[in-house]
Structure formats: C-alpha cells, structure tokens
C-alpha cells in the first residue's frame, strides 16, 4: 500500500487558459471553405497545407490533418469529434442563423431561448463537428 501523501499542489494548477484548439480534419478544403467562407474567420497563418490557424478572441483555432504526434485514424463520417461554442451578443445569434442558411448550412436547431439563460443555435461543420453559437440572455 502506498503511504505517500499526494502533493498539495499540481503544476497543472498554473494553467490559466485554453490557448488553442486543434480540429483534426478529414477534408481540409471543405473545412477551409466553411471556416473562412461561411463563418468568415480571419486566417492568421498557414504553416503548411496540413495546418491552418484562425484567431478567435484570445484563442487560436487550428485545422490540422492528423499526423506527427497524432496518427489517429480519422473520425468516422457521421461522428462528431468535438463541440465548439462561440459566444456572441444576443441579437447576433439570429443574424448568424440567417447567414448560415444563406450559405446553405442546415441548422440542427434554430435560435432557441433555453431555460438556463442562453439563446442557442446549433449546426455542423463539413466534417460533422457540432458547432454552437450562443448568447447569454
């Protein structure tokens, strides 16, 4: 039996933010068209054809082909690998929905006032990841 006391602090307690999020993509061209052409995220840098970055507030969103340290098989079609929630002001939830529809994006759920105090909008990117635009109401 281990009688050692666990350390009172962890070096991970120094983490103060999620600095960047990486989406491992199946179809880079379709994902770029979506994130740049539909969502209009400004391209920050393109390190290679397999690594694209967008700056969103204080965070970086990267699109990456799996490789190097992550040799995982691509997520099967029809399976989301993550959900991202983008915070906006309340009137912008409906404006975002209108823009998505204008670009032919199917809404999973149109703008809806939730009982927990958010107005939400749900849709998917070309790889099937679940995306949410929300506002506190």
């Amino acid at each position: 039996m281990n009688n050692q006391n666990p350390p009172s602090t962890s070096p991970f307690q120094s983490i103060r933010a999620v600095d960047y999020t990486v989406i491992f993509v199946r179809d880079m061209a379709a994902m770029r068209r979506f994130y740049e052409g539909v969502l209009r995220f400004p391209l920050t840098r393109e390190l290679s054809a397999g690594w694209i970055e967008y700056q969103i507030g204080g965070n970086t969103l990267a699109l990456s082909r799996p490789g190097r340290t992550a040799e995982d098989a691509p997520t099967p079609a029809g399976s989301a690998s993550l959900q991202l929630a983008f915070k906006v002001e309340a009137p912008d939830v409906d404006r975002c929905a209108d823009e998505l529809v204008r670009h032919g994006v199917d809404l999973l759920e149109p703008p809806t006032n939730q009982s927990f105090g958010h107005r939400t909008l749900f849709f998917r990117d070309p790889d099937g990841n679940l995306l949410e635009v929300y506002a506190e109401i």
Side-chain angles (χ1 to χ4, degrees):
M1 179 160 48
N2 185 346
N3 288 328
Q4 293 179 348
N5 291 329
S8 59
T9 62
S10 164
F12 293 104
Q13 290 175 323
S14 64
I15 296 172
R16 296 291 173 252
V18 174
D19 187 56
Y20 64 93
T21 301
V22 179
I23 301 175
F24 293 119
V25 302
R26 288 188 292 269
D27 184 339
M28 182 64 83
M31 293 288 277
R32 285 196 70 173
R33 283 191 304 273
F34 182 79
Y35 283 93
E36 294 171 32
V38 177
L39 300 187
R40 301 285 179 105
F41 288 173
L43 180 66
T44 305
R45 58 184 185 161
E46 183 174 348
L47 297 180
S48 70
W51 184 276
I52 312 296
E53 293 181 359
Y54 308 98
Q55 192 65 36
I56 304 168
N59 295 288
T60 299
L61 177 65
L63 303 181
S64 175
R65 288 195 176 100
R68 220 176 102 216
T69 57
E71 302 265 348
D72 305 39
T75 305
S79 300
S81 58
L82 60 82
Q83 175 179 337
L84 295 175
F86 302 106
K87 187 175 182 180
V88 299
E89 296 297 320
D92 292 328
V93 174
D94 293 86
R95 292 180 58 231
C96 289
D98 292 344
E99 185 71 3
L100 290 167
V101 169
R102 191 173 75 74
H103 282 277
V105 176
D106 292 330
L107 304 182
L108 296 177
E109 180 183 280
T112 304
N113 290 338
Q114 305 293 345
S115 60
F116 49 84
H118 285 180
R119 182 161 181 79
T120 60
L121 160 67
F122 289 94
F123 55 102
R124 292 188 186 274
D125 70 15
D127 267 6
N129 297 305
L130 184 61
L131 303 181
E132 173 186 2
V133 171
Y134 82 97
E136 294 178 356
I137 54 173

